[in-house]
Amino acid sequence: MIKLLIVDDSALMRRQLTLLFQAEGDFEIRQARNGQEAVDENRQFQPDVVTLDINMPEMDGITALSLIMTERPVPVVMVSSLTEKGALATFEALNLGAVDYVAKPGGTISLTLDQVAPDLLAKVRAAARAKL
């Protein structure tokens, strides 16, 4: 089983991502609604891999990523909408230690996640095997 932490402020996105990974049958999943919850869950749940949104309330994904990599490094795949600001944040995330990136199709709340599902699954599986 791959322990996966899904971090997104959108309840709909968390649900879609959870359903996608649950359907695979080999993921144990927990969710977090913001960066602070992600940092806390990284300590408690000790996931093998994290999917992390960038734009979130309380603590954004970049700040959370920085704390995660300092406290308990774990492979992180950024899952965020592709905007000019988001693209800059993506480069920052990769510099901070994120192992990969998948753009949400259709913006912040993506109703077309199936467009990137094979890519997302492959990247998360690869990340789970990554040695930091």
Side-chain angles (χ1 to χ4, degrees):
M1 290 292 275
I2 297 170
K3 292 172 73 174
L4 172 65
L5 176 60
I6 294 171
V7 186
D8 200 297
D9 61 322
S10 161
L12 178 61
M13 276 307 300
R14 286 193 311 274
R15 183 173 181 274
Q16 284 188 298
L17 289 166
T18 297
L19 290 172
L20 172 68
F21 287 101
Q22 275 179 340
E24 293 294 297
D26 62 339
F27 286 92
E28 179 183 346
I29 302 163
R30 283 213 195 157
Q31 300 177 354
R33 295 173 297 189
N34 58 54
Q36 185 58 58
E37 286 185 13
V39 171
D40 295 342
E41 282 292 335
N42 186 49
R43 282 187 214 118
Q44 295 165 14
F45 179 54
Q46 300 198 345
D48 300 313
V49 65
V50 175
T51 65
L52 184 60
D53 190 13
I54 294 174
N55 297 317
M56 295 181 291
E58 288 186 48
M59 182 189 293
D60 65 76
I62 298 298
T63 304
L65 176 64
S66 175
L67 290 171
I68 286 169
M69 290 304 175
T70 302
E71 288 184 9
R72 184 190 168 271
V74 62
V76 174
V77 176
M78 303 307 292
V79 180
S80 185
S81 53
L82 188 62
T83 62
E84 189 171 67
K85 182 179 173 190
L88 288 173
T90 299
F91 290 122
E92 188 176 353
L94 293 171
N95 283 335
L96 286 170
V99 296
D100 217 329
Y101 174 83
V102 175
K104 289 180 188 172
T108 306
I109 298 174
S110 178
L111 300 175
T112 54
L113 193 64
D114 56 329
Q115 291 176 6
V116 297
D119 193 33
L120 180 58
L121 288 165
K123 288 181 178 187
V124 168
R125 286 186 189 286
R129 294 186 301 269
K131 300 295 179 219
L132 298 182

